[in-house]
Amino acid sequence: MKFCQNCFIDKELKRIIASQPEKGRCPICGCDNTPLYDTDTDQTIQQGFENLLDIYTFKEDLPVSFPEDEIHSLADDLIDNWNIFAPPLSSSNKHKILSSILKERIKKDNNLLNRNVGIVQKYDDRYIFEYSILRSGKWEDFVDSIKKENRFHNSTINLKMLGSFCSHLVTMYKSGKEFYRGRISENLCGIDIKDMSAPPPRNARPGRANAEGISRLYLASDERTAIHEIRAGAFDYITIGKFIAKQNVSVVNFRLINQISPFDDSINPLIFAINKNCLEKIDKEMAKVLRQGDSHIDYIPTQYIADYLNSREFNNELPVSCNGVEYKSTMNPAGYNLSIFDKELFECAEIKTIQVSGLQYNY
């Protein structure tokens, strides 16, 4: 069977298919003049799936205590839980591709894709303690502990494991890359350009990636996102600064969490499987916006993670130092934000002041 890279969103599978010499029309998605992978002549992708299948246990071999809601058909788990296939692809085409990739296994077990499976280690306390980012496997336990028990030397998180996954999320922005920052001003005269950067430590209020008194530069991908993020009211004045990277800047990009591939040779798919939910929680928490009345203590878990990414312990494992974190914008889903550890990496090149003419509420 033949298919093309556009049938997938998994970056490793797309890379393998893009290197194929044969080009033509994909019989699955219909894309023209695209590299085609042929399961009859190439076994690279098959081997990756074989490794992934090894992490599963058939239902009849699962412990009696294994949760029923964690048991799924093999096909459904591969399709729904691993971000492998392009969403527009029909369910029948996804099953066809899986049947073709796993044809050798299916010869031995005709019902393979329909068999119910689970991952035993997700509920093995000893395995979780050693290989999970969170010693208990639960984000809620970490949040409760770091808020109420030990804020600075917390043993509920495995920083080495966190660092190993975050090293796969590094994004580099080249010198000259533009970002934006907005500040509410008193009038149309706006704010002076020299005051548009991060506040001095004495004025630094707590945020999602900084504790009170620690100054970090928060930037947005575009003007609209910068405006949304400061949550200005109707008829407020906003000064928007354009910030230019003065050198190459590396950030841990939490928006890439769902793009980590189980087919990456440097990723252990079993360890990835037990940490997948935790990584998605971190992504969600980094983008979380506090409501009026919420406490800034709710930012402590992500502040702890950001401080670790700014530590020597984490950066010694990287080819280039981490300069900040990137996360999606909840206020404007089309944009994203950065929290930069060192404000001197960016220069505010120009400013303009606008007035909000109106607001639209969605509910």
Side-chain angles (χ1 to χ4, degrees), residues 214-341:
I214 296 178
S215 181
R216 300 252 160 95
L217 176 62
Y218 286 87
L219 300 172
S221 56
D222 53 84
E223 289 186 8
R224 180 175 292 275
T225 302
I227 293 169
H228 277 70
E229 285 294 330
I230 59 176
R231 290 187 279 182
F235 311 115
D236 278 349
Y237 296 102
I238 302 174
T239 299
I240 302 172
K242 179 193 289 186
F243 283 76
I244 310 295
K246 295 157 68 173
Q247 62 185 62
N248 292 346
V249 175
S250 294
V251 297
V252 169
N253 184 354
F254 287 106
R255 298 193 306 134
L256 298 181
I257 280 175
N258 280 327
Q259 296 181 34
I260 296 177
S261 171
F263 305 106
D264 186 328
D265 290 339
S266 62
I267 293 286
N268 181 315
L270 178 55
I271 294 177
F272 182 30
I274 68 168
N275 283 290
K276 202 167 183 295
N277 182 62
C278 172
L279 290 166
E280 290 168 353
K281 280 277 191 180
I282 294 173
D283 177 37
K284 183 178 180 180
E285 290 296 315
M286 285 301 303
K288 183 178 179 180
V289 176
L290 292 189
R291 301 164 297 174
Q292 290 185 10
D294 285 345
S295 170
H296 286 291
I297 199 173
D298 290 333
Y299 277 146
I300 289 174
T302 54
Q303 291 170 357
Y304 185 93
I305 290 171
D307 281 348
Y308 169 66
L309 299 179
N310 189 35
S311 70
R312 182 177 299 177
E313 180 183 356
F314 173 66
N315 283 278
N316 281 345
E317 304 297 322
L318 298 178
V320 292
S321 293
C322 172
N323 305 125
V325 294
E326 178 175 331
Y327 51 94
K328 60 190 175 185
S329 170
T330 304
M331 303 302 295
N332 180 34
Y336 61 91
N337 299 305
L338 302 182
S339 175
I340 300 298
F341 301 144

Side-chain angles (χ1 to χ4, degrees), residues 142 146 150-155 157 159 162 208 299-309:
F142 167 62
I146 201 167
N150 193 319
R151 199 156 295 174
F152 301 104
H153 303 283
N154 197 283
S155 61
I157 188 167
L159 292 175
L162 173 66
R208 73 190 72 239
Y299 277 146
I300 289 174
T302 54
Q303 291 170 357
Y304 185 93
I305 290 171
D307 281 348
Y308 169 66
L309 299 179

